[in-house]
Amino acid sequence: MNSIFETLLDLPLLRGASRERISETAGNTKFHFLKYLEGNQIVAPGQQCSHMMFLLSGKVRVEVASSDGRFRVGQTLTGPDAILPQFLFGRNTVSPCTVTATDTCSIMQVDKNDWLKILNLDPVFMLNYLNMLSSGSQNVVEGILAITTGSIEERLAVWIVCMTQPGATEITLGCRQRDLYSVFGVQRSSFISAMESMRERGLIEYTNNEITVNDRRAMQALITGAALANAD
């Protein structure tokens, strides 16, 4: 019980509740603990999201690709963190991603109905979850503003932030440069100039087929700054 209790204290979506509430949650909830070795697939595209999944320790690689394979986004999550929490409820509860263990991982699963009971145990639990979902929705709104009026840097930041989780590292956007500047509706020279500027500032590294993001928070700041500028 003590080890479960300490684990729950570290989970982002449960932080802030009293130790008594965490203890009650540990005592009244059925948790499923799973272990995956490096290279094991944890979630497959098209898999139904019927459980809240928490990465307790280790690292996983989360990758999503367009149907034609032209665009791919990858991110690494490090425990403790939640895995695909935004797909548990709503109209679409099917995972679009592949989740693979990149080293030995410990996963805790909670059935959707049990997760609802946890959310109703304490307003802190519910607030944490709603804040996470709301942040994702707000990123989409800010992203629409950036796509319609933003710079190339802001448009790229939209893609990165909207398709990755806050704690993600080793973020990659796999695509051909010509596909990106075609989608953004800009000339190649303008696109390359923006990429060079971002590289010089330490935000990204890039090749002809892949962009690697060095700091997701900096990408988020680009979008937030653009939204504030538009508001002014």
Side-chain angles (χ1 to χ4, degrees):
M1 174 65 72
N2 186 56
S3 61
I4 297 177
F5 178 77
E6 296 300 326
T7 297
L8 293 178
L9 286 175
D10 286 337
L11 294 176
L13 290 178
L14 301 184
R15 286 176 185 162
S18 68
R19 298 179 71 87
E20 291 77 14
R21 186 64 75 196
I22 292 292
S23 180
E24 179 184 354
T25 301
N28 296 332
T29 306
K30 185 176 182 179
F31 299 114
H32 301 275
F33 294 93
L34 305 171
K35 185 176 181 179
Y36 293 88
L37 301 179
E38 180 181 355
N40 288 166
Q41 186 178 83
I42 300 171
V43 179
Q47 181 175 324
Q48 188 70 35
C49 298
S50 58
H51 292 75
M52 175 62 76
M53 299 182 67
F54 292 101
L55 174 64
L56 303 183
S57 63
K59 293 183 178 183
V60 299
R61 187 69 178 169
V62 182
E63 297 186 337
V64 61
S66 61
S67 58
D68 59 8
R70 293 170 60 197
F71 300 96
R72 306 179 313 279
V73 176
Q75 59 180 318
T76 295
L77 302 180
T78 303
D81 205 343
I83 299 177
L84 307 178
Q86 69 272 38
F87 290 99
L88 191 61
F89 301 102
R91 179 178 58 86
N92 182 12
T93 57
V94 173
S95 169
C97 305
T98 299
V99 182
T100 306
T102 57
D103 59 10
T104 301
C105 296
S106 177
I107 302 288
M108 183 179 77
Q109 289 191 164
V110 183
D111 181 81
K112 180 187 293 189
N113 292 328
D114 289 332
W115 177 245
L116 280 173
K117 294 176 183 178
I118 290 175
L119 292 179
N120 285 300
L121 275 176
D122 194 298
V124 172
F125 298 154
M126 183 69 76
L127 185 61
N128 287 344
Y129 193 55
L130 290 177
N131 280 337
M132 182 274 298
L133 296 176
S134 296
S135 294
S137 298
Q138 290 162 11
N139 285 335
V140 172
V141 173
E142 293 167 351
I144 291 173
L145 294 175
I147 287 175
T148 55
T149 63
S151 67
I152 297 172
E153 296 181 2
E154 292 160 6
R155 297 181 197 186
L156 178 61
V158 167
W159 281 40
I160 297 302
V161 170
C162 288
M163 299 191 69
T164 59
Q165 293 183 205
T169 59
E170 301 174 348
I171 297 171
T172 57
L173 173 58
C175 58
R176 296 180 299 181
Q177 286 184 7
R178 66 182 183 182
D179 287 332
L180 266 184
Y181 56 73
S182 176
V183 168
F184 291 164
V186 298
Q187 295 181 344
R188 179 181 183 278
S189 58
S190 298
F191 180 82
I192 296 300
S193 177
M195 294 298 97
E196 277 298 309
S197 174
M198 296 179 78
R199 178 157 64 180
E200 290 172 359
R201 285 145 51 201
L203 299 177
I204 66 169
E205 299 294 336
Y206 73 95
T207 65
N208 287 333
N209 297 305
E210 186 173 85
I211 297 172
T212 301
V213 178
N214 296 329
D215 188 346
R216 185 187 183 279
R217 288 177 297 179
M219 291 293 182
Q220 177 70 71
L222 282 176
I223 302 173
T224 303
L228 291 175
N230 288 333
D232 292 340

